[in-house]
Amino acid sequence: QGQVQESGGGLVQSGGSLRLSCARSGSRFEDYAMAWFRQAPGKEREGVSCISWSGGSTYYTDSVKGRFTISRDNAKNMLYLQMNDLKPEDTAMYYCGSVGRLCPRVPNLKPDIVRDSWGQGTQVTVSS
């Protein structure tokens, strides 16, 4: 089990961009697929994107395809989420975590498969 710390959130206008970062410590970073989740007020935490341990495969929920890009730097134990063309419905607290060796199919990217302790998250607020 590892520990994560998310950063990079903020307040942006609709159409703007943000880059989220996730620093992970503990077990070997390169052994695990990594994922981003988000939770909006009054809603359940949902999977947003996943990247394989090598970075060679990436997966996105339909609502962010073409706008978000997940990436990782195994040498630095870092995970990233580049978010472009942000919309008010992207407003949420964003979290990261390892999800095993392989990414699950996106419908199965659920919070209960995360192997790390949850971090505090980073707040993204998009104004219209």
Side-chain angles (χ1 to χ4, degrees):
Q1 189 179 45
Q3 294 78 44
V4 297
Q5 182 171 356
E6 305 89 349
S7 62
L11 171 64
V12 295
Q13 291 187 334
S14 183
S17 298
L18 284 172
R19 188 194 193 206
L20 306 185
S21 297
C22 168
R24 185 178 184 272
S25 61
S27 52
R28 281 166 50 89
F29 181 73
E30 58 267 36
D31 283 351
Y32 298 99
M34 294 292 297
W36 285 99
F37 297 80
R38 66 184 179 186
Q39 187 168 17
K43 295 188 177 181
E44 294 185 351
R45 194 166 299 188
E46 64 172 353
V48 175
S49 181
C50 188
I51 186 168
S52 64
W53 63 272
S54 67
S57 298
T58 57
Y59 307 88
Y60 302 91
T61 192
D62 285 346
S63 62
V64 308
K65 282 181 181 176
R67 301 187 298 120
F68 290 12
T69 302
I70 190 171
S71 62
R72 65 189 294 162
D73 185 337
N74 286 348
K76 297 181 179 179
N77 291 0
M78 293 293 295
L79 175 73
Y80 304 101
L81 187 68
Q82 178 66 43
M83 305 187 297
N84 298 329
D85 190 23
L86 282 160
K87 303 177 180 182
E89 50 264 42
D90 295 317
T91 294
M93 189 73 79
Y94 284 71
Y95 302 88
C96 63
S98 64
V99 293
R101 183 70 171 178
L102 300 174
C103 287
R105 292 168 52 217
V106 169
N108 296 325
L109 188 58
K110 304 291 187 182
D112 60 357
I113 69 171
V114 171
R115 300 192 173 197
D116 298 323
S117 301
W118 289 108
Q120 293 186 331
T122 187
Q123 177 68 40
V124 172
T125 303
V126 185
S127 63
S128 57

